[in-house]
Amino acid sequence: MSAEAVAGQPAGPVRFGIRARLLLAFVAVAALSVVACGLGWLSYDRLGGTLDEFAENHLPALGLAARLAEEGGSIIATAPILANAQTEQELGAIRDALGRRLAALRALAAEGERGVPGLRPLVDALGHNLTDLDATVRHRLALARRNQEGIERLRWLHADFLDEIEPLVTDARFNIQSALDLVEAGTRSAEAVRVLRAESRRSEAVLQIGANGNLAVGLIARAATLATTEALDDNAGFLEETADRLQRDLATLADWADGVSLAQLVARLLELARGEGSVPELRRAELAAADQGQGLLAENRTLVARLNGLIAQQVQSVETTSRAAAARSAQAIAEGRSALLASALVSLLVAVLVAWLYVNRSIISRLTRLGSAAHEIAAGNLKADIPLGGNDELSQMAAALLVFRDTAIAVEEANAQAIIDNAQAGLATTDADGVIEFVNPLAAALIAAPEGGADGRLADRLDPAGARRVEDFFREARAAADEAAPSLSILTAGRRPNGRPVPIQVGIRPFRRRQQQRFIVTLTDMTERVEAQQLLERTVAERTADLRTTNARLERSIAEHQRAERDLRDTQAELVQAGKLAALGQLAAGVGHELNQPLSAIRSYAHNGRKLIALGRVAEAEGNLGKIADLTARMANITNHLKRFARRPDTRLGAVELAPVVQGALSLFGDRLREEAVELVVELPEDGESLRVRAEEVRLEQVLVNLLSNALDAVAGAPQRRVAIAAEAADDTVRIMVRDSGPGIPDAVAGQVFDPFFTTKPVGAGLGLGLSISYNIVRDFGGALSVAESGPGGTAFLLTLTRA
């Protein structure tokens, strides 16, 4: 049958054709889909109600609990720092920080008063506790300040005591010598014997008062630093015995007019030793305040623990409610899943029935035959058999296929145009110059023409950067051979019909149509990808901000550790100064004897000079005055060295000449070495430049004084009394050895000699701080202090320092 014959046949009306039947089937499937969507909507509505309830009621409660826990943790972390504050400035800063934390905690308590019963009274109790703790710390600091003032008074009083007692000892010795001269001259009168006995008794009492006074000063100074009340009680017992001996010795001098000032100084010294306001009582009160602070700290931890308990109860309540909401959500999801599954199964069954009973039998088989015919026609067989039976749309399609068979060449371009127009991606075609010939609707939505403009060039619809690259591409394509035509893929920006820019991916590929070069342009909307990238960048920025916050928190923690380290160093410096003053106290008697000899000579020269002037022998008197000036210069050198040794050292390190430091330390023991008949051996290299060490002069001298003092104590009862100090340079270090001929250190305690307050000396003969302080000083220098050897033949301490 020809196309003209088919076209001339009247087309009968199709009452219930394929369109109506398929429409009915798809309406049924769509109705089932609507039912499934309704069931899903109901399920998600129930789930959304549960989530809204959780967001409105439970999340704020959890946030409040987290903030309460954070503020409570800050308070419990800051309270011990408040209790251990050492200065008023530090106390004020910590008190302000705690005040801000407490105010924030009270604000949170007011916010969560309904949700957390009992929170407000607990926060108020915590505030009272912190107030009491602050008052206790202020009281402790005031007691420490008064204690320090008492120690300062003790130092000045000790100096006055030494200045007062030395002349009395000298006068008594002079009177004894005068009485002995009378007796030796043969004048054995009762008066001379009486004077001799009285002066001997006074001299003995004065010496006892001097020894007991120095001991009392040491015990009072030690009481100011004791850490326990038990140690204070032991120290008080020794101090009370010393005070009783002082009073007994003063009673011996009650009828001596020259001893009135000494008695007054001893009375003032005893005021610092016992009774209300004394140094031991102030230290006892300070320790009691510290214990009270620790009790308040324990109460603070208890209150915070109760606060954490309330927070835990609140969190547990919210957790229970949240679990119930989660259970309801899970039930709603399960019910919705079951309903959706049932509706999906019913839809699938209906779709299978429609596909099998109608589509496959009545449509697919006929379409297959029509497809085969169309395939043959497309292959060029225009005489292919076309099935024309039936009275529906397929029969009309068969008739149309007959017409298509005759007009296949005419509609070739139209078919190609239809393919491009119905593509799922933005497509456009251009000529060799980039002029647009066709765009489909998707492409038109991505590269809209300028308002009022024609199709124009592809480059005119892109942003400037993309336009330049497209123009360069078409310029290269025109210059290239046909078989080497290039391609292009770029990310640029197009334009929406409303004028808004849109990110697009542009791909250009060459093709040939009717022997002419053409280009097909593929356009892809990149909006979602760009938004995803922006979302990723925002997420990275948020994570970076979180990391910065964490870093700031770590920096604050490091600053707190550094402040604690500075406090520890300040305490160590105070301990070093106390040890140095203790060493000066032990050396006081020897230095006093060093000063007493020139004082006695000055008195003698002055007495003789006065008599020579009275006799008119002025020249001889001037000689005596010159000798007095020399002795005064000698005394000034001794006192200046003591003042330099007693001053606080510099914290900076530098190059120090070792030889002057060694001689300065030995000068403090000159009298003791002579009186105790100790052999001293000093071995230093002749080249002084080779003995420059990296240290601080005053602290290095203190280390040598402690080592020499221990060596002299060790050889006190030895049959051979010998102390040697030697130094040698080795590469980048200097080794200093202090050796004695004492009995050595017992093996049982050899490992404890550098521990604070450890001593093998009798009670009252040492504090056990010398070697510990020396060890820490040498370590600060970057050196090392150790026991090189110890045995029955003696002990040797090795000091190793960096060579400067």
Side-chain angles (χ1 to χ4, degrees):
M1 184 178 293
S2 66
E4 292 78 0
V6 175
Q9 291 180 357
V14 180
R15 297 181 179 179
F16 197 68
I18 295 174
R19 178 182 300 174
R21 282 174 277 185
L22 287 177
L23 180 62
L24 181 62
F26 285 117
V27 165
V29 174
L32 292 174
S33 299
V34 170
V35 172
C37 290
L39 293 175
W41 181 84
L42 291 176
S43 300
Y44 283 114
D45 183 64
R46 290 179 58 190
L47 179 61
T50 304
L51 294 177
D52 291 340
E53 177 186 357
F54 183 80
E56 293 176 359
N57 299 329
H58 306 320
L59 286 181
L62 287 175
L64 176 63
R67 286 182 290 166
L68 284 171
E70 180 181 2
E71 296 299 337
S74 300
I75 289 177
I76 199 172
T78 312
I81 303 176
L82 175 67
N84 295 321
Q86 299 300 321
T87 62
E88 291 289 346
Q89 292 80 5
E90 182 181 359
L91 177 63
I94 299 172
R95 183 169 59 243
D96 293 341
L98 278 175
R100 290 192 296 271
R101 293 292 184 184
L102 189 60
L105 192 60
R106 283 176 173 158
L108 292 175
E111 181 181 347
E113 186 173 6
R114 294 183 179 178
V116 187
L119 181 60
R120 175 65 69 84
L122 188 58
V123 173
D124 292 338
L126 188 59
H128 294 322
N129 173 266
L130 292 176
T131 301
D132 294 341
L133 181 60
D134 176 61
T136 301
V137 174
R138 285 203 304 272
H139 179 59
R140 176 176 61 79
L141 291 177
L143 289 173
R145 188 166 53 253
R146 290 180 58 193
N147 199 347
Q148 186 63 32
E149 292 172 357
I151 292 300
E152 291 297 329
R153 288 173 52 201
L154 178 65
R155 291 173 181 171
W156 290 108
L157 187 59
H158 187 210
D160 294 341
F161 176 78
L162 294 176
D163 292 341
E164 183 67 28
I165 201 168
E166 291 299 331
L168 295 178
V169 173
T170 302
D171 289 343
R173 288 177 177 175
F174 182 79
N175 293 334
I176 291 173
Q177 187 63 41
S178 298
L180 287 174
D181 292 341
L182 291 175
V183 174
E184 291 175 356
T187 308
R188 297 182 177 272
S189 62
E191 180 62 21
V193 174
R194 186 189 65 78
V195 169
L196 180 60
R197 291 177 177 174
E199 292 300 332
S200 298
R201 185 172 66 256
R202 289 174 182 172
S203 177
E204 181 180 0
V206 169
L207 291 175
Q208 288 293 333
I209 290 173
N212 290 323
N214 286 328
L215 179 59
V217 169
L219 290 174
I220 293 172
R222 183 170 180 263
T225 59
L226 290 177
T228 62
T229 54
E230 291 78 6
L232 272 175
D233 293 336
D234 295 339
N235 191 79
F238 294 128
L239 188 57
E240 189 65 29
E241 292 177 3
T242 305
D244 292 341
R245 289 196 297 269
L246 281 172
Q247 289 179 337
R248 286 197 301 270
D249 293 333
L250 282 175
T252 306
L253 303 178
D255 57 347
W256 192 23
D258 293 340
V260 174
S261 297
L262 181 62
Q264 292 175 351
L265 289 174
V266 172
R268 290 166 58 191
L269 181 63
L270 294 179
E271 290 177 359
L272 294 176
R274 57 189 179 183
E276 185 177 357
S278 64
V279 172
E281 289 303 319
L282 288 175
R283 182 58 179 170
R284 193 182 304 276
E286 185 180 352
L287 292 177
D291 292 340
Q292 184 179 0
Q294 294 301 318
L296 290 172
L297 271 181
E299 181 183 353
N300 179 273
R301 288 191 289 269
T302 302
L303 291 173
V304 174
R306 291 173 55 193
L307 175 64
N308 292 334
L310 289 177
I311 295 172
Q313 293 177 3
Q314 177 69 9
V315 171
Q316 185 177 5
S317 174
V318 173
E319 182 180 0
T320 302
T321 309
S322 301
R323 287 179 178 173
R328 293 196 301 272
S329 300
Q331 182 179 1
I333 292 173
E335 293 175 354
R337 187 185 295 115
S338 300
L340 289 175
L341 181 61
S343 62
L345 291 175
V346 173
S347 300
L348 181 62
L349 179 61
V350 172
V352 168
L353 291 176
V354 171
W356 177 257
L357 297 178
Y358 176 69
V359 175
N360 183 56
R361 292 183 180 182
S362 301
I363 298 177
I364 299 300
S365 59
R366 294 171 64 192
L367 283 176
T368 301
R369 293 195 300 273
L370 284 174
S372 299
H375 180 70
E376 293 179 3
I377 292 172
N381 184 13
L382 300 180
K383 295 182 180 181
D385 186 22
I386 299 175
L388 297 174
N391 188 20
D392 53 17
E393 289 85 352
L394 287 178
S395 61
Q396 294 178 354
M397 185 183 300
L401 185 59
L402 289 175
V403 176
F404 173 78
R405 183 181 59 185
D406 296 334
T407 59
I409 298 175
V411 299
E412 181 182 2
E413 277 189 330
N415 287 338
Q417 187 78 16
I419 292 173
I420 294 176
D421 195 29
N422 291 291
Q424 296 299 316
L427 296 176
T429 60
T430 70
D431 60 11
D433 295 326
V435 178
I436 297 176
E437 294 180 342
F438 171 78
V439 291
N440 68 354
L442 291 177
L446 298 177
I447 52 171
E451 186 176 355
D455 286 346
R457 298 166 58 86
L458 174 62
D460 296 336
R461 301 192 180 191
L462 304 176
D463 67 346
R468 285 193 298 271
R469 296 191 61 181
V470 169
E471 289 176 351
D472 294 340
F473 167 76
F474 284 113
R475 189 179 303 111
E476 294 174 2
R478 287 194 299 271
D482 292 342
E483 60 274 8
S487 60
L488 178 68
S489 178
I490 61 171
L491 179 64
T492 182
R495 185 186 303 109
R496 296 283 191 189
N498 57 8
R500 295 178 59 186
V502 55
I504 58 174
Q505 181 78 31
V506 179
I508 305 178
R509 298 288 186 277
F511 75 98
R512 300 190 67 80
R513 187 176 64 185
R514 297 184 187 139
Q515 305 302 319
Q516 293 181 353
Q517 182 74 48
R518 292 290 186 271
F519 292 90
I520 185 168
V521 182
T522 305
L523 303 170
T524 306
D525 189 351
M526 304 297 291
T527 302
E528 293 183 358
R529 186 179 299 178
V530 171
E531 290 176 351
Q533 182 177 1
Q534 293 174 352
L535 177 61
L536 178 61
E537 292 175 352
R538 287 197 301 271
T539 304
V540 171
E542 292 173 356
R543 296 292 175 83
T544 303
D546 292 340
L547 289 175
R548 288 175 179 170
T549 303
T550 304
N551 187 38
R553 189 180 301 113
L554 288 175
E555 289 178 351
R556 289 195 298 272
S557 177
I558 291 172
E560 291 176 358
H561 284 298
Q562 290 175 345
R563 185 171 61 253
E565 183 179 355
R566 287 195 301 272
D567 293 341
L568 180 60
R569 288 187 177 274
D570 293 341
T571 303
Q572 181 180 359
E574 291 295 333
L575 185 60
V576 169
Q577 187 67 11
K580 186 160 60 177
L581 293 178
L584 279 178
Q586 293 176 355
L587 295 172
V591 173
H593 186 71
E594 285 287 329
L595 294 176
N596 184 54
Q597 288 181 345
L599 281 173
S600 299
I602 287 172
R603 177 178 297 176
S604 176
Y605 285 133
H607 178 74
N608 294 335
R610 187 171 57 223
K611 290 184 177 181
L612 290 172
I613 291 173
L615 295 174
R617 297 159 62 180
V618 178
E620 296 180 17
E622 288 179 353
N624 285 353
L625 292 176
K627 293 178 180 178
I628 289 174
D630 294 339
L631 292 172
T632 305
R634 175 186 169 189
M635 294 172 61
N637 289 334
I638 295 174
T639 56
N640 287 335
H641 184 71
L642 286 176
K643 286 190 293 183
R644 185 180 65 82
F645 181 75
R647 68 178 173 87
R648 288 185 177 272
D650 194 352
T651 57
R652 294 172 297 182
L653 303 182
V656 177
E657 288 286 348
L658 183 61
V661 176
V662 173
Q663 295 301 328
L666 290 174
S667 66
L668 298 176
F669 298 93
D671 185 68
R672 184 174 176 183
L673 290 168
R674 290 189 298 272
E675 288 186 353
E676 297 179 6
V678 178
E679 178 186 0
L680 176 64
V681 179
V682 179
E683 297 178 359
L684 298 177
E686 295 180 359
D687 185 7
E689 287 296 327
S690 63
L691 289 179
R692 293 170 64 89
V693 297
R694 185 175 181 272
E696 194 277 326
E697 184 176 359
V698 176
R699 287 189 285 169
L700 178 58
E701 183 175 347
Q702 182 181 355
V703 172
L704 294 176
V705 167
N706 288 335
L707 294 177
L708 290 171
S709 177
N710 288 343
L712 290 174
D713 291 341
V715 302
Q720 180 184 3
R721 301 177 183 179
R722 186 173 184 269
V723 173
I725 178 169
E728 62 178 0
D731 295 333
D732 295 334
T733 61
V734 174
R735 296 161 51 91
I736 305 168
M737 186 79 72
V738 178
R739 186 185 301 272
D740 63 67
S741 59
I745 302 173
D747 294 338
V749 298
Q752 307 176 37
V753 294
F754 294 112
D755 293 343
F757 301 107
F758 175 82
T759 179
T760 58
K761 299 176 183 179
V763 176
L767 299 177
L769 290 174
L771 287 178
S772 176
I773 292 173
S774 300
Y775 181 85
N776 288 307
I777 290 175
V778 175
R779 186 179 61 181
D780 291 341
F781 291 168
L785 176 62
S786 61
V787 179
E789 58 183 72
S790 182
T795 301
F797 282 88
L798 176 61
L799 172 60
T800 304
L801 297 174
T802 303
R803 188 174 180 180

Coordinates of all heavy atoms in Angstrom, one line a residue, residues 34 47 55 74 90 122 174 258 261 330 372 382 397 436 452 460 469 474 500 599 619 629 637 649 665 680 711 732 747:
V34 N 0.7 8.4 45.4 CA 0.2 9.5 46.3 C -0.1 9.0 47.6 O 0.1 9.6 48.7 CB -1.0 10.2 45.6 CG1 -1.7 11.1 46.6 CG2 -0.6 11.0 44.4
L47 N 7.6 12.1 63.4 CA 9.1 12.2 63.7 C 9.5 13.7 63.9 O 10.2 14.0 64.8 CB 9.9 11.6 62.6 CG 11.4 11.6 62.7 CD1 11.8 10.9 64.0 CD2 12.1 11.1 61.5
A55 N 14.3 19.4 70.6 CA 15.1 20.7 70.4 C 14.7 21.8 71.3 O 15.5 22.6 71.8 CB 15.0 21.1 68.9
S74 N 36.0 25.2 86.5 CA 36.9 26.3 86.7 C 37.1 26.7 88.1 O 38.2 27.1 88.5 CB 36.4 27.5 85.8 OG 36.2 27.1 84.5
E90 N 48.7 38.8 93.8 CA 48.3 37.5 93.3 C 46.9 37.1 93.8 O 46.0 36.7 93.1 CB 49.3 36.4 93.6 CG 48.9 35.0 93.0 CD 50.0 34.0 93.4 OE1 51.0 34.4 94.1 OE2 49.8 32.8 93.0
L122 N 22.9 25.7 96.7 CA 24.2 25.2 96.6 C 25.2 26.2 96.1 O 26.4 26.3 96.5 CB 24.2 23.9 95.7 CG 25.5 23.1 95.6 CD1 25.9 22.6 97.0 CD2 25.3 21.9 94.7
F174 N 90.6 41.8 129.9 CA 91.6 42.8 130.3 C 91.7 42.9 131.9 O 92.8 42.9 132.4 CB 91.2 44.2 129.8 CG 92.2 45.3 130.1 CD1 93.4 45.4 129.4 CD2 91.9 46.2 131.1 CE1 94.3 46.4 129.7 CE2 92.8 47.2 131.4 CZ 94.0 47.3 130.7
D258 N 77.9 47.4 133.6 CA 78.2 47.3 132.2 C 77.3 46.3 131.5 O 77.2 46.3 130.3 CB 79.6 46.9 131.9 CG 80.6 48.0 132.4 OD1 80.1 49.2 132.5 OD2 81.8 47.7 132.6
S261 N 72.9 47.1 129.3 CA 72.5 47.1 127.9 C 72.3 45.7 127.3 O 71.4 45.4 126.6 CB 73.5 47.9 127.1 OG 73.6 49.2 127.5
A330 N 11.7 6.1 66.5 CA 11.9 4.8 65.9 C 10.7 4.0 65.5 O 10.5 3.4 64.5 CB 12.8 3.9 66.8
S372 N 11.3 -3.1 13.6 CA 12.1 -3.8 12.5 C 11.9 -3.2 11.2 O 12.9 -3.0 10.4 CB 11.7 -5.3 12.4 OG 11.9 -5.9 13.7
L382 N 13.4 0.9 1.6 CA 12.2 1.6 1.6 C 11.0 0.7 1.3 O 9.8 1.2 1.3 CB 12.2 2.8 0.7 CG 13.3 3.9 1.0 CD1 13.3 5.0 0.0 CD2 13.1 4.4 2.4
M397 N 0.5 5.0 13.7 CA 2.0 5.1 13.6 C 2.5 4.4 12.3 O 3.4 4.9 11.6 CB 2.6 4.5 14.8 CG 4.2 4.7 14.9 SD 4.8 3.9 16.4 CE 4.0 4.8 17.6
I436 N 27.0 31.1 16.9 CA 26.0 30.0 17.3 C 25.0 29.9 16.2 O 24.4 30.8 15.7 CB 25.3 30.5 18.6 CG1 26.4 30.6 19.7 CG2 24.2 29.5 19.0 CD1 25.8 31.1 21.0
G452 N 17.9 42.0 24.1 CA 17.7 42.7 22.8 C 18.7 42.3 21.8 O 18.7 42.9 20.7
D460 N 30.5 35.9 23.2 CA 29.8 37.1 23.7 C 28.8 36.7 24.9 O 28.3 37.6 25.6 CB 28.9 37.7 22.6 CG 29.8 38.3 21.5 OD1 31.0 38.6 21.9 OD2 29.4 38.4 20.4
R469 N 39.4 32.8 26.2 CA 39.9 31.4 25.9 C 39.1 30.8 24.7 O 39.7 30.1 23.9 CB 39.8 30.5 27.1 CG 40.6 31.0 28.3 CD 40.7 30.0 29.4 NE 41.2 28.7 29.0 CZ 41.3 27.6 29.7 NH1 40.9 27.7 31.0 NH2 41.8 26.5 29.3
F474 N 38.9 29.1 18.8 CA 38.5 29.1 17.4 C 39.5 29.6 16.5 O 39.6 29.2 15.3 CB 37.2 29.9 17.3 CG 36.0 29.2 17.8 CD1 35.3 29.7 19.0 CD2 35.5 28.1 17.2 CE1 34.2 29.0 19.4 CE2 34.3 27.5 17.6 CZ 33.7 27.9 18.8
R500 N 21.4 36.9 35.9 CA 22.3 36.4 36.9 C 23.4 35.5 36.4 O 23.1 34.7 35.5 CB 21.5 35.7 38.0 CG 20.5 36.6 38.7 CD 19.8 35.8 39.8 NE 20.6 35.3 40.7 CZ 20.3 34.4 41.7 NH1 19.0 34.1 41.8 NH2 21.1 33.9 42.6
L599 N 90.5 45.1 117.4 CA 89.8 46.0 118.4 C 90.6 46.1 119.7 O 90.8 47.2 120.2 CB 88.4 45.5 118.7 CG 87.3 45.8 117.6 CD1 86.0 45.2 118.0 CD2 87.1 47.3 117.5
A619 N 105.2 62.5 118.4 CA 105.7 61.7 117.3 C 105.4 60.2 117.5 O 104.9 59.5 116.6 CB 107.2 61.9 117.1
A629 N 94.9 53.2 112.2 CA 94.3 53.3 110.9 C 94.4 52.0 110.1 O 93.5 51.6 109.4 CB 94.9 54.5 110.1
N637 N 87.8 45.7 105.6 CA 87.9 44.7 104.6 C 87.1 43.5 105.0 O 86.4 42.9 104.2 CB 89.3 44.3 104.3 CG 90.1 45.4 103.6 OD1 89.5 46.2 102.9 ND2 91.4 45.4 103.8
P649 N 72.3 37.5 95.6 CA 73.1 37.4 94.4 C 72.3 37.8 93.2 O 71.0 37.9 93.2 CB 73.3 35.9 94.4 CG 72.2 35.3 95.1 CD 71.8 36.2 96.2
A665 N 86.3 32.8 100.1 CA 85.7 31.8 100.9 C 86.7 31.4 102.1 O 86.3 31.3 103.2 CB 85.3 30.6 100.1
L680 N 95.8 23.4 105.8 CA 95.1 23.8 104.6 C 96.0 23.7 103.4 O 97.1 24.2 103.4 CB 94.5 25.2 104.7 CG 93.8 25.8 103.4 CD1 92.6 25.0 103.1 CD2 93.5 27.2 103.6
A711 N 83.7 20.4 105.6 CA 85.0 19.8 105.7 C 85.6 20.0 107.1 O 86.2 19.1 107.7 CB 85.9 20.2 104.6
D732 N 86.3 21.7 78.1 CA 85.4 22.8 78.3 C 84.9 22.9 79.7 O 83.9 23.6 80.0 CB 84.2 22.6 77.4 CG 84.6 22.7 75.9 OD1 85.6 23.4 75.7 OD2 83.9 22.1 75.0
D747 N 77.7 4.5 104.5 CA 77.1 4.1 103.3 C 75.6 4.1 103.4 O 74.9 4.3 102.3 CB 77.6 2.6 103.0 CG 79.1 2.6 102.7 OD1 79.6 3.6 102.3 OD2 79.6 1.5 102.8

